[in-house]
Amino acid sequence: MTGRLHFQPEIETMPAERLRELQLERFRHAVARVMSHSQFYRDLYTKAGVDPDEIRTFEDVRKVPLLDREQIESFFPFQGLCSDPVRVREIHSTAGSRSRKSFLVAATQHDIDYWADLNARALWMVGLRPGDVLLNAFPTGITTWGFGLHYGALKLGMTSVPAGSLPAEQLLDLLVEAEATALSATPSKALNMARFLERKKLDLREGVRCRVALLGAEPWSRAIRERIESGLGVRAFDLYGMSELLGPSMGCECEIRDRRFGMHVWADAFLCECIDPRSGSIMEEGEEGELVWTSLVWEGTPLIRYRSRDLSAITWASCDCGRTHPRIAAIKGRAEDAVSLEGIIVYPSQVEETLLAFEEAGSQTRIVLDKDKRGSDYLSVMVELKDKAYLQDQSLCQALARRMKEAVRQATGILPKEVELLPPGGLKKGSGSEGKTAVVRLEDRRSKMKN
Amino acid sequence: MTGRLHFQPEIETMPAERLRELQLERFRHAVARVMSHSQFYRDLYTKAGVDPDEIRTFEDVRKVPLLDREQIESFFPFQGLCSDPVRVREIHSTAGSRSRKSFLVAATQHDIDYWADLNARALWMVGLRPGDVLLNAFPTGITTWGFGLHYGALKLGMTSVPAGSLPAEQLLDLLVEAEATALSATPSKALNMARFLERKKLDLREGVRCRVALLGAEPWSRAIRERIESGLGVRAFDLYGMSELLGPSMGCECEIRDRRFGMHVWADAFLCECIDPRSGSIMEEGEEGELVWTSLVWEGTPLIRYRSRDLSAITWASCDCGRTHPRIAAIKGRAEDAVSLEGIIVYPSQVEETLLAFEEAGSQTRIVLDKDKRGSDYLSVMVELKDKAYLQDQSLCQALARRMKEAVRQATGILPKEVELLPPGGLKKGSGSEGKTAVVRLEDRRSKMKN
């Protein structure tokens, strides 16, 4: 390693005070910019009495209306464009689904360059240097994750191997053949790779030089992290991003890997706030709430005070890595993923984390919510086992199911009605936006109409 | 359109004489370079008595041994690397298969920049200018096609929409939403889009602003071109490239779209020769043979006199577009695709072209080769129809099958034993390297062991 600790030290270690000033300056500028380019913002902010020139403090920032997903869908396709179309170099799209329109993200060359910087900072942050080889297993296409890390690797002077959505087996082959020292992927993809190595390719392990994994795009638990780290022999780092805001490396864990506040978020590029999802009011520093993001520098399709629905918390407390940018906690889940059972709030990730911590567990779990005959909610879980031989011993299975039930009760306050144990591969994997909640599938049968 | 006719006029219209000198100079340099970096080349050329300093004429070039696919597979993974690994920025891979290893392609920043230039030249050549929007439906990942066109579009000052391998329906949606003026894709993908528009989305046609399609990566016929052009309302251009040599835009059709020699190949970047596939001797200008490629400028994994197995012909005759670079004919097929029936050579593309010219035909055909009871070869074809209603009229079907038989006989000299007509969707589509021969599938049952 070279002596330099940060990729862009002048920005990464800028005094927090100065960073906060820069944020206000850029926020003011961003609001003026969107109002001058987009009728949508002009109407919204005029109605709310927003005058960019009067935004002088963070109190003023809070008077600017929040934006939610439904509102930005009305931008579609280009009502939110804040740049001359001739200057747009790339157009990406968030994953659409039947219930949700896609959102088109436009980037100018300035945006691409800044994006490359943010990703290079993240790659540097986890210990990568010129000469390192990144196997980039995020799809490089209409979504933004693959491109962001690709540009970052090029900017840093690394080698990028854009592997996209290849199957785990081929990724492992490439990991060895291209002599990759780092992997970027979703946690579920990395977990599949670790499983594959465990099951079939232990001999491959010898050839794997990979020491770092940058994982993101879906919530993942400590239990999954440990499985990936031991399975692939890497140190795993959490990466945060939202496709609407050009995806990866909005936040990244530093080498300290603080258990509570792991990921630095780039304060020169984003204003990150934490609000009460119900009232919209600002949470105290360190308190859990919904993250709200403003792109302070994007020219193409900037978003101002955009509700992420991601549940986390923020701190500006100083970090031993020397970076002065604030940190956020690992994403606990999406506000929309939280479910209420008889008034108790449960995050699927809590259940997942609990179940996958069992060494007998395979890589997939499913949570089923239903109503019993009396109309009361109940929760059941299905768990894939690592080894099907386990299923041949009834008494072992019963004991394991009991322990799992008790563990879920301790973590969530709810005792599952049933724990069903399945052979490896017994649970179908989700894909695309369906797979957004990592290896957890949640099936809520309560809301279905009874015929 | 601006007044400039070419993206890099100083190179694109350089006098042919000067180009030829440049080729010799760069060829000599390339041979010296690979010998100094790669043990493989050093051994091969030393044995053959090659001395780079003595390469003064094209006669000398022909003394340098040809390389074939099997040889470069022995490079795997990096015996063919001719650059310091620290300078490698991207690693791609050709499509592997069970019978064939993949080949790792390495590119330095110099290679990426030159690659962007070649692709920008191609995009400019088909009439695109800054402000145009390219819907790039080549996968941007481990293969090279998507990235090449992406970099080219950025270099030219266009907007790139990296859509990758989305389904035809979503591509059409994006074509409208992103207001794309150009499409890059495989001919079979473009054909699927045209079919989809014909079948279900005629209303979409209104919103399609796309006027140009750049199609390549598999051989395609005039009949398919016409179907794509009328279906999508575009002008289609043929694009040539090989993944081993960084993929797209090694050659591209100019606005003249000469029926015989359509595609200019970039003589500053590649030496393109045409040989007799059997003897290896050089063909006369204009005569059909196998193309052999030398990358004159690549630093990462250059290939010298690499046999493409693609059948075509070359001419240096002047072109009305003003470009002085030589031209090649549309790829007739791969040398390895040609099949012999009782001594008659048949190219699957000939059969495909003949069948798809029928307006009753859908988008898929399949050719079956088998032996009859006496051990003689015969050929049968299956053809998907555009409309299943057609199958209800027996006499119409019989007449159509007769006309198709006769057409294949005229094109190939072989009368098919049977023409089977199938409803739309009746033939399974190939994928990945299986789909290399575009919409044609060939099944050779003659070589199977009889039990």
Side-chain angles (χ1 to χ4, degrees):
Chain A
M1 288 210 193
T2 70
R4 188 154 56 115
L5 288 170
H6 311 105
F7 181 67
Q8 294 180 315
E10 69 292 357
I11 299 175
E12 294 177 54
T13 63
M14 180 183 287
E17 274 304 295
R18 173 70 199 109
L19 263 180
R20 300 289 276 163
E21 281 166 30
L22 185 69
Q23 286 193 309
L24 271 180
E25 212 175 289
R26 289 188 169 179
F27 188 90
R28 193 162 48 238
H29 181 74
V31 169
R33 191 160 197 287
V34 299
M35 284 183 80
S36 76
H37 282 86
S38 155
Q39 189 68 46
F40 173 90
Y41 279 113
R42 198 152 49 234
D43 292 349
L44 182 70
Y45 292 166
T46 307
K47 205 169 141 195
V50 171
D51 177 351
D53 290 337
E54 288 174 7
I55 301 171
R56 299 279 151 199
T57 67
F58 285 97
E59 281 304 316
D60 300 332
V61 164
R62 289 159 199 172
K63 292 175 201 151
V64 176
L66 294 164
L67 274 183
D68 62 25
R69 177 78 198 198
E70 285 65 39
Q71 276 172 301
I72 71 161
E73 279 173 7
S74 75
F75 287 178
F76 195 81
F78 288 124
Q79 272 58 260
L81 185 64
C82 294
S83 161
D84 179 348
V86 172
R87 295 185 56 242
V88 173
R89 286 292 153 273
E90 284 187 37
I91 293 173
H92 291 275
S93 166
T94 59
S97 67
R98 267 162 221 169
S99 61
R100 182 181 258 199
K101 266 166 121 178
S102 55
F103 170 70
L104 296 188
V105 185
T108 63
Q109 191 60 53
H110 160 272
D111 295 342
I112 295 172
D113 293 342
Y114 217 110
W115 190 24
D117 281 340
L118 300 186
N119 279 280
R121 286 187 209 164
L123 292 163
W124 192 281
M125 188 186 262
V126 299
L128 299 170
R129 297 293 179 269
D132 272 308
V133 178
L134 175 70
L135 184 74
N136 183 5
F138 285 111
T140 310
I142 197 66
T143 58
T144 53
W145 281 72
F147 270 108
L149 286 154
H150 181 75
Y151 290 141
L154 262 52
K155 185 75 159 251
L156 177 44
M158 291 172 60
T159 302
S160 172
V161 188
S165 43
L166 291 177
E169 182 173 7
Q170 284 181 47
L171 287 175
L172 284 165
D173 286 344
L174 262 176
L175 204 63
V176 174
E177 292 159 3
E179 300 177 24
T181 51
L183 167 74
S184 55
T186 58
S188 39
K189 180 63 95 176
L191 188 62
N192 284 344
M193 291 170 72
R195 299 277 173 200
F196 193 90
L197 212 53
E198 275 175 29
R199 280 204 312 274
K200 298 200 188 146
K201 290 237 178 170
L202 278 167
D203 53 317
L204 232 174
R205 188 69 177 270
E206 286 296 292
V208 174
R209 297 179 49 199
C210 189
R211 60 178 203 275
V212 161
L214 271 143
L215 309 177
E218 54 189 24
W220 50 311
S221 62
R222 283 272 153 190
I224 292 180
R225 176 188 296 236
E226 280 156 27
R227 294 216 148 188
I228 292 168
E229 293 198 328
S230 66
L232 291 175
V234 295
R235 240 180 140 212
F237 293 86
D238 201 358
L239 195 66
Y240 179 84
M242 298 190 72
S243 302
E244 295 93 322
L245 289 143
L246 270 183
S249 298
M250 290 166 64
C252 182
E253 234 176 338
C254 68
E255 57 269 37
I256 308 296
R257 301 207 304 178
D258 185 273
R259 295 281 288 200
R260 177 96 184 83
F261 291 100
M263 290 185 281
H264 286 275
V265 294
W266 303 118
D268 57 315
F270 300 101
L271 174 68
C272 179
E273 303 168 272
C274 187
I275 64 166
D276 180 318
R278 273 166 288 262
S279 69
S281 63
I282 299 288
M283 306 301 290
E284 291 292 313
E285 182 160 316
E287 271 186 358
E288 189 177 286
E290 179 183 350
L291 299 182
V292 167
W293 295 87
T294 296
S295 41
L296 299 171
V297 292
W298 295 156
E299 292 183 341
T301 42
L303 296 178
I304 310 283
R305 301 202 82 211
Y306 178 60
R307 294 182 65 153
S308 67
R309 306 196 189 177
D310 286 331
L311 298 171
S312 179
I314 311 178
T315 182
W316 278 82
S318 70
C319 178
D320 289 345
C321 77
R323 289 176 188 85
T324 48
H325 294 240
R327 283 172 292 146
I328 57 173
I331 305 303
K332 192 160 182 181
R334 295 213 136 187
E336 62 207 29
D337 288 337
V339 288
S340 163
L341 265 96
E342 305 284 307
I344 302 175
I345 300 292
V346 178
Y347 294 107
S349 57
Q350 290 176 290
V351 179
E352 167 205 65
E353 174 149 19
T354 304
L355 293 170
L356 292 179
F358 283 82
E359 63 174 30
E360 295 90 345
S363 58
Q364 303 282 324
T365 67
R366 184 169 297 151
I367 301 167
V368 178
L369 306 177
D370 211 340
K371 282 189 184 296
D372 62 19
K373 285 172 193 161
R374 290 171 306 160
S376 303
D377 293 349
Y378 71 83
L379 177 153
S380 290
V381 291
M382 301 184 223
V383 185
E384 232 180 65
L385 292 177
K386 206 190 286 181
D387 190 342
K388 70 176 175 190
Y390 209 89
L391 290 167
Q392 285 160 3
D393 190 326
Q394 276 287 334
S395 63
L396 257 182
C397 283
Q398 280 170 12
L400 176 60
R402 261 195 309 273
R403 284 195 291 134
M404 285 182 165
K405 274 187 191 177
E406 181 52 27
V408 172
R409 193 192 61 75
Q410 283 195 9
T412 65
I414 295 168
L415 185 72
K417 189 176 169 192
E418 200 184 346
V419 170
E420 189 179 350
L421 302 174
L422 300 166
L427 281 171
K428 224 177 59 181
K429 272 177 281 184
S431 63
S433 58
E434 230 188 18
K436 187 72 185 176
T437 50
V439 289
V440 164
R441 272 316 71 55
L442 182 133
E443 195 181 336
D444 194 343
R445 296 177 180 163
R446 298 173 303 174
S447 49
K448 280 187 190 153
M449 296 289 288
K450 306 278 180 194
N451 291 317
Chain B
M1 290 208 193
T2 69
R4 188 154 55 115
L5 287 170
H6 311 106
F7 180 68
Q8 293 181 313
E10 70 291 358
I11 301 175
E12 293 176 57
T13 63
M14 182 185 284
E17 275 304 295
R18 173 71 200 108
L19 263 180
R20 300 289 275 163
E21 283 166 27
L22 185 70
Q23 287 192 308
L24 271 179
E25 213 176 287
R26 290 188 168 179
F27 188 89
R28 193 162 48 237
H29 181 74
V31 169
R33 189 159 199 289
V34 299
M35 284 182 80
S36 76
H37 282 86
S38 156
Q39 189 66 45
F40 173 91
Y41 279 114
R42 198 153 48 235
D43 292 349
L44 182 71
Y45 292 167
T46 307
K47 205 169 142 196
V50 172
D51 177 351
D53 290 338
E54 287 173 8
I55 301 170
R56 299 280 152 197
T57 68
F58 284 96
E59 281 305 315
D60 300 332
V61 165
R62 287 158 200 172
K63 292 174 201 152
V64 175
L66 293 164
L67 275 183
D68 61 25
R69 176 78 197 199
E70 286 66 39
Q71 277 171 299
I72 71 161
E73 279 171 9
S74 75
F75 287 178
F76 195 82
F78 287 124
Q79 272 58 260
L81 185 65
C82 293
S83 162
D84 179 348
V86 173
R87 294 186 56 242
V88 172
R89 286 292 154 271
E90 284 186 40
I91 293 174
H92 292 274
S93 166
T94 60
S97 67
R98 268 162 219 170
S99 60
R100 179 182 261 197
K101 266 166 119 176
S102 56
F103 170 71
L104 295 188
V105 185
T108 63
Q109 191 60 52
H110 161 272
D111 295 342
I112 296 173
D113 294 341
Y114 217 110
W115 190 25
D117 280 341
L118 300 185
N119 279 280
R121 287 186 208 165
L123 292 163
W124 191 281
M125 189 187 261
V126 300
L128 299 170
R129 296 294 179 270
D132 272 307
V133 178
L134 176 69
L135 184 74
N136 184 5
F138 284 112
T140 311
I142 197 67
T143 59
T144 52
W145 280 73
F147 270 108
L149 285 155
H150 181 76
Y151 289 142
L154 261 53
K155 186 75 159 247
L156 177 44
M158 290 172 63
T159 302
S160 173
V161 188
S165 45
L166 292 177
E169 182 174 5
Q170 284 181 44
L171 287 175
L172 284 165
D173 286 344
L174 262 177
L175 205 63
V176 174
E177 292 159 4
E179 301 178 22
T181 51
L183 168 74
S184 56
T186 58
S188 38
K189 180 63 96 177
L191 188 62
N192 284 344
M193 291 171 70
R195 298 278 173 202
F196 193 90
L197 211 54
E198 275 175 29
R199 280 205 313 275
K200 297 201 189 147
K201 289 236 179 171
L202 278 166
D203 52 318
L204 232 175
R205 187 67 178 270
E206 287 295 293
V208 175
R209 295 179 50 200
C210 188
R211 60 179 203 275
V212 162
L214 271 144
L215 309 177
E218 56 189 22
W220 51 308
S221 62
R222 283 272 152 190
I224 291 180
R225 177 188 295 236
E226 280 157 27
R227 293 215 150 191
I228 292 169
E229 294 198 325
S230 66
L232 291 175
V234 295
R235 244 184 137 207
F237 293 86
D238 201 358
L239 194 66
Y240 179 84
M242 296 190 73
S243 303
E244 295 92 322
L245 290 141
L246 270 184
S249 300
M250 291 167 63
C252 182
E253 234 176 338
C254 68
E255 58 270 35
I256 308 295
R257 302 206 303 177
D258 185 274
R259 297 281 287 200
R260 178 95 184 82
F261 291 101
M263 290 185 281
H264 286 275
V265 293
W266 303 119
D268 58 313
F270 301 101
L271 176 67
C272 179
E273 303 169 272
C274 186
I275 65 166
D276 181 318
R278 272 165 291 262
S279 68
S281 64
I282 299 288
M283 306 301 290
E284 293 289 315
E285 181 161 317
E287 272 187 358
E288 189 177 286
E290 178 183 349
L291 299 182
V292 167
W293 295 87
T294 296
S295 41
L296 299 171
V297 291
W298 295 157
E299 292 183 341
T301 43
L303 296 178
I304 310 282
R305 301 202 83 212
Y306 177 61
R307 295 182 64 155
S308 66
R309 307 196 188 174
D310 287 329
L311 299 170
S312 179
I314 311 179
T315 182
W316 279 83
S318 70
C319 178
D320 289 345
C321 77
R323 291 176 187 83
T324 49
H325 294 241
R327 283 171 293 145
I328 57 172
I331 305 303
K332 193 161 182 178
R334 296 211 136 189
E336 63 205 31
D337 288 337
V339 288
S340 163
L341 266 97
E342 305 285 306
I344 302 175
I345 300 292
V346 178
Y347 294 107
S349 56
Q350 290 175 291
V351 178
E352 169 207 66
E353 174 149 19
T354 305
L355 292 170
L356 292 180
F358 282 82
E359 64 174 29
E360 294 89 347
S363 58
Q364 304 280 324
T365 68
R366 183 170 298 152
I367 302 167
V368 178
L369 306 177
D370 210 340
K371 282 188 185 297
D372 62 19
K373 285 170 192 161
R374 292 169 308 159
S376 304
D377 294 349
Y378 70 83
L379 178 153
S380 289
V381 291
M382 300 185 225
V383 186
E384 232 180 66
L385 293 177
K386 205 189 291 181
D387 189 341
K388 70 176 175 186
Y390 209 88
L391 291 166
Q392 286 160 2
D393 190 327
Q394 276 288 333
S395 62
L396 258 182
C397 284
Q398 281 172 13
L400 176 60
R402 262 196 309 274
R403 284 195 292 137
M404 285 181 165
K405 276 188 191 176
E406 180 54 26
V408 172
R409 194 191 60 75
Q410 284 196 7
T412 66
I414 293 168
L415 186 72
K417 190 176 166 192
E418 201 185 342
V419 170
E420 190 181 348
L421 302 174
L422 299 166
L427 282 171
K428 222 176 62 180
K429 272 176 281 184
S431 64
S433 59
E434 229 190 18
K436 188 73 185 175
T437 49
V439 289
V440 164
R441 279 306 81 53
L442 182 133
E443 194 181 338
D444 194 343
R445 297 178 181 163
R446 298 172 304 174
S447 49
K448 282 187 189 152
M449 297 287 289
K450 306 280 182 195
N451 292 319

